[in-house]
Amino acid sequence: MALGAWAQERFIVMASTTSTEQSGLFAHLLPAFRQATGIEVRVVALGTGQALDMGRRGDADVVFVHDQAAEEKFVAEGFGLKRFPVMYNDFVLVGPRSDPAGVKGRDIVAGLQKVAAGSAPFISRGDKSGTHAAELRYWKAAGIDAPETRVSGYKACGCGMGPALNIASSSQAYVLTDRGTWLSFRNRGDLAVLVEGDRRLFNQYGVIVVNPARHPHVKQELAQAFVDWVVSDAGQAAIAAYRIGGEPLFFPNAKAAP
């Protein structure tokens, strides 16, 4: 009976982002981890801010997110043990192929300034996710601190990346998205990538075990087993192997990232 109960408890709860879930990465990655360790991972996909809040409440054993400043704050405040870089991709600005605002190019700040100067619709996730945090940084760099009040076509959906792309597709709007979700998105309609390649669009992901000193029920050993695996050669190779149409969605950099 004791052995059976122990076996049933070999799972962890991971709070992560909609981009890792909706891109299909976890459907590829987690079965490989379970095969290697026997540990099941139950994912709750939210925006990064909400995922970190889950960790603060002790409702997750590990967080896997993409907002480095927020992640470092989470650790500094004692909610997480240590942040490990895992992988990266990048953000892209997509919009109608006709590009009514004329944003096409490599400069995300110039692109957003052109969106703001016109009346073209822009869809924001508005959900305190890592993508939303990045978007607000880019607006601020463009000289616009509160786009919801200063950009006439701006609408916040309070939703995940997939739904935001669906709204943009149906309303011929601009939207910032991570490349992984874009590559897996099937309802593109007339949307196309218009701004890419700016170094500011770099998008790093990190993983953190929730601090059991704050929440003693956290399954530290099992959560650390996931961290150790995902930054190992085997885990990094599994990330690199995930492709759609031959194109990689994420690039492992556990050993290279600062």
Side-chain angles (χ1 to χ4, degrees):
M1 289 287 291
L3 283 173
W6 178 82
Q8 290 172 11
E9 289 301 311
R10 284 185 66 78
F11 73 87
I12 56 172
V13 174
M14 179 164 66
S16 191
T17 70
T18 60
S19 60
T20 43
E21 177 78 359
Q22 292 172 358
S23 67
L25 176 68
F26 284 152
H28 164 81
L29 196 65
L30 299 184
F33 171 65
R34 184 170 186 175
Q35 184 175 11
T37 64
I39 301 168
E40 177 190 355
V41 181
R42 301 177 182 175
V43 177
V44 180
L46 303 159
T48 284
Q50 294 170 303
L52 290 171
D53 284 343
M54 268 192 73
R56 288 187 181 94
R57 296 192 302 268
D59 292 336
D61 301 297
V62 64
V63 295
F64 191 164
V65 290
H66 63 132
D67 184 347
Q68 186 165 343
E71 294 162 42
E72 290 171 349
K73 183 176 184 226
F74 180 81
V75 172
E77 292 174 345
F79 292 106
L81 293 181
K82 182 181 177 181
R83 176 187 178 275
F84 292 83
V86 179
M87 63 189 189
Y88 69 94
N89 62 7
D90 62 344
F91 295 111
V92 293
L93 184 66
V94 304
R97 289 183 187 280
S98 60
D99 191 16
V103 306
K104 189 170 179 61
R106 292 175 59 91
D107 190 327
I108 184 61
V109 170
L112 291 180
Q113 288 171 335
K114 290 174 181 177
V115 170
S119 57
F122 182 95
I123 304 300
S124 169
R125 284 180 57 173
D127 63 349
K128 298 183 179 179
S129 62
T131 304
H132 181 217
E135 177 217 312
L136 293 178
R137 287 196 301 272
Y138 303 144
W139 281 117
K140 187 173 183 179
I144 300 169
D145 284 335
E148 66 276 10
T149 61
R150 295 181 57 194
V151 180
S152 62
Y154 190 95
K155 291 184 179 179
C157 67
C159 61
M161 196 68 257
L165 282 165
N166 277 319
I167 295 169
S169 178
S170 64
S171 59
Q172 292 285 286
Y174 293 89
V175 61
L176 184 78
T177 176
D178 68 284
R179 191 183 295 270
T181 307
W182 169 252
L183 288 173
S184 62
F185 182 60
R186 301 301 181 198
N187 185 34
R188 297 181 183 180
D190 195 42
L191 294 183
V193 173
L194 297 173
V195 178
E196 61 183 328
D198 190 325
R199 288 191 299 175
R200 289 170 288 197
L201 292 170
F202 178 82
N203 180 31
Q204 177 70 47
Y205 288 78
V207 65
I208 307 166
V209 175
V210 175
N211 190 353
R214 290 289 186 110
H215 302 288
H217 61 274
V218 166
K219 298 173 183 174
Q220 180 183 357
E221 289 187 14
L222 300 186
Q224 189 64 50
F226 173 76
V227 172
D228 292 345
W229 181 83
V230 82
V231 302
S232 73
D233 290 345
Q236 296 280 282
I239 291 169
Y242 182 55
R243 295 168 177 257
I244 291 180
E247 189 166 353
L249 278 71
F250 300 94
F251 300 87
N253 68 341
K255 294 176 174 61

